[in-house]
Amino acid sequence: MENSELFQFLKNTNDSFFNSASSSFALPAPASTMQHSFSGSFSLYPLELDSPSHHQDKALAALRNHKEAEKRRRERINSHLDKLRTLLPCNSKTDKASLLAKVVERVKQLKQQISEITESEAFPSESDEVSVLSPSGDESGGDGRMLLKASVCCEDRDDLTRDIIEILRSLRLKTLKAEMATLGGRTRNVLVVAADKEHSADSVQFLRNSLKSLLERSNSHERSKRRRTMNRKFLP
Amino acid sequence: MENSELFQFLKNTNDSFFNSASSSFALPAPASTMQHSFSGSFSLYPLELDSPSHHQDKALAALRNHKEAEKRRRERINSHLDKLRTLLPCNSKTDKASLLAKVVERVKQLKQQISEITESEAFPSESDEVSVLSPSGDESGGDGRMLLKASVCCEDRDDLTRDIIEILRSLRLKTLKAEMATLGGRTRNVLVVAADKEHSADSVQFLRNSLKSLLERSNSHERSKRRRTMNRKFLP
DNA sequence: TCAAACACGTGATCC
DNA sequence: TGGATCACGTGTTTG
């Protein structure tokens, strides 16, 4: 506080000045900083400890350390931001605030995607079900690809898989992962499919409706074929 | 640049000064800023346009806008950082750099998990395979329960699932999750089973050997039943 | 010209 | 005390 004027004076001097071996000032100080100077022919501080120049040196060294530490801190933060820029689908020109906003959304998306995939009902239930949901909200990372998770649970029949494939093909959906479990003549198909840019939110409805019609076709079948190839001992 | 001394002088004045209706300075300016003052009794700028005070007002207004905009920018960035703090497993005291480092790691981890799930070998391959491994090293959390992930890929046959169940039952392994996929007459079963304290590392070998014998039994079957109910269009 | 975004140096604060 | 972090106001650059 008491040295702020001195600091102000030295504000724009470069570091080569500080790096010099001299322990006293080579430049004239402004009047306001001369308060500690003295005119006697002998030193009041023979050991140069606690002398004004010593105090000033220490203060300047502290200020320089402070400045450099702060620069390192900024560089550390910015390097992490740069890493995030490479991890996200965005060019390197996006500003910090927008970048962080995207990061927030992306982390939310990914967490939800994980939980929805891992908490899937692996086994067929007794009731017919169709569900289509996009775990990643609207977009899965701005690369224009939307992930959909479709699930069909119904009575098993031979041509079910073929029908599902045809539906996905007609909707131009790419299958990333398919999971099929059968239990007691019933089956559950869980599909992770990718929709391109060309797909709209309507594609979700289309897929849902197509799968539901599939389900009605299953129900019209005779239920006599039902056979229990898996029993409940298989479950925990 | 030419106004830096003026700005320097006004550096520590608070905003209430700028908010006052006065269009001229209420405080005396230092000598270095008086270069624009004049002593005549008539104004050189009758309309007060392009007058020094006008310039100063504009400069001060710009400076104030700049200051406030910068503050808003900081707040925007920090609010996003706070959101990230709530999204990550870390308390609110972690500093910015460490927080961002954690965010980088978390995003990488989540992306990795997603790709592992969606790119997992969900489909049966053309070669027979058996694998038994404990994903969590030796112990799954120190509760004495060891998790095993067993995978069997072979020609499909009706009694395969029944045989697998019998193996697990004889080894007293509890099935936590089962995943079965069929493609072109071949099948892949992925089982997540839990071993108790009573199980030793030998159980892994027992299970592996049992599943391999299962595989040999499959190979002795005739291959004529092979039917392609799924084609490669199903894959991405 | 004007607004937005950035890096910088500094004072304050907390172990 | 010193070291680390933060918010702040400022100068500069870019569109």
Side-chain angles (χ1 to χ4, degrees), chain A residues 4 38 54 75 89 93 101 112 131 146 154 187:
Chain A
S4 63
F38 54 93
H54 179 67
E75 287 171 347
K93 279 280 293 169
Q112 199 185 1
S131 81
M146 179 172 59
C154 63
T187 184

Side-chain angles (χ1 to χ4, degrees), chain A residues 2 15-16 28 49 56 60 69 71 82 95 101-102 124 127 131 147 156 160 171 173 179 185 195 198-199 219 233 236:
Chain A
E2 65 278 5
D15 286 350
S16 63
L49 297 176
Q56 289 165 353
L60 286 175
K71 183 168 180 64
D82 286 339
D95 63 279
K102 285 188 180 182
S127 60
S131 81
L147 280 188
D156 198 11
L160 182 66
L171 289 178
L173 293 169
E179 189 178 315
E198 56 166 329
H199 292 92
N219 281 341
K233 283 179 187 167

Side-chain angles (χ1 to χ4, degrees), chain A residues 90-126:
Chain A
C90 71
N91 55 20
S92 60
K93 279 280 293 169
T94 53
D95 63 279
K96 293 184 188 178
S98 312
L99 170 67
L100 288 175
K102 285 188 180 182
V103 171
V104 169
E105 291 312 307
R106 190 84 176 113
V107 170
K108 282 186 188 171
Q109 259 180 31
L110 290 173
K111 287 177 73 172
Q112 199 185 1
Q113 215 167 330
I114 296 267
S115 70
E116 286 185 3
I117 289 178
T118 56
E119 289 169 9
S120 71
E121 277 283 347
F123 289 100
S125 61
E126 292 297 315

Side-chain angles (χ1 to χ4, degrees), chain B:
Chain B
M1 197 70 85
E2 65 280 6
N3 281 330
S4 63
E5 287 168 336
L6 171 63
F7 294 164
Q8 199 56 52
F9 164 67
L10 292 168
K11 204 175 172 182
N12 292 324
T13 57
N14 60 21
D15 286 351
S16 62
F17 168 74
F18 297 102
N19 291 337
S20 72
S22 166
S23 64
S24 62
F25 291 112
L27 295 173
S32 61
T33 68
M34 299 295 275
Q35 49 195 346
H36 293 303
S37 67
F38 54 93
S39 51
S41 60
F42 61 93
S43 174
L44 289 172
Y45 315 92
L47 298 178
E48 296 297 331
L49 296 175
D50 286 336
S51 73
S53 63
H54 178 68
H55 280 159
Q56 289 165 353
D57 275 0
K58 277 185 65 176
L60 286 174
L63 189 57
R64 194 198 54 199
N65 285 339
H66 184 34
K67 181 170 61 170
E68 291 170 352
E70 182 63 15
K71 184 169 179 64
R72 281 194 299 272
R73 175 177 165 270
R74 278 195 302 267
E75 288 170 347
R76 205 164 53 226
I77 291 177
N78 284 335
S79 79
H80 289 145
L81 289 176
D82 286 338
K83 277 186 217 157
L84 282 174
R85 263 182 256 267
T86 68
L87 258 55
L88 258 64
C90 74
N91 57 18
S92 60
K93 278 278 294 172
T94 53
D95 63 278
K96 292 184 187 178
S98 311
L99 169 67
L100 288 176
K102 285 187 181 181
V103 171
V104 169
E105 290 312 306
R106 191 87 177 109
V107 170
K108 281 186 188 173
Q109 181 192 346
L110 290 173
K111 287 178 75 172
Q112 175 72 15
Q113 282 186 28
I114 295 272
S115 71
E116 276 179 9
I117 291 177
T118 56
E119 292 171 9
S120 73
E121 275 289 343
F123 290 100
S125 60
E126 292 297 315
S127 59
D128 290 352
E129 293 166 17
V130 165
S131 79
V132 180
L133 45 88
S134 53
S136 49
D138 270 348
E139 276 188 284
S140 171
D143 56 347
R145 230 171 63 154
M146 180 171 60
L147 281 188
L148 293 182
K149 186 173 177 187
S151 173
V152 180
C153 180
C154 64
E155 204 74 9
D156 197 10
R157 56 186 169 89
D158 284 345
D159 50 357
L160 182 67
T161 305
R162 195 195 320 274
D163 291 348
I164 291 177
I165 293 174
E166 185 53 35
I167 289 173
L168 297 177
R169 209 162 57 80
S170 69
L171 289 176
R172 302 192 197 289
L173 293 169
K174 228 187 215 171
T175 304
L176 299 178
K177 179 170 158 56
E179 188 179 316
M180 191 260 281
T182 62
L183 173 64
R186 293 187 61 81
T187 184
R188 161 162 297 185
N189 283 40
V190 180
L191 307 157
V192 179
V193 300
D196 301 5
K197 297 177 207 275
E198 55 166 328
H199 292 91
S200 65
D202 294 338
S203 301
V204 180
Q205 269 304 333
F206 273 132
L207 179 57
R208 204 189 323 262
N209 291 336
S210 303
L211 294 178
K212 278 184 180 171
S213 70
L214 201 64
L215 197 125
E216 291 159 13
R217 228 178 302 167
S218 275
N219 280 342
S220 67
H221 276 211
E222 80 281 4
R223 304 196 126 224
S224 62
K225 289 199 294 186
R226 186 156 177 173
R227 67 237 124 99
R228 298 229 159 240
T229 59
M230 266 171 147
N231 59 31
R232 282 293 168 183
K233 284 178 187 168
F234 200 59
L235 293 173

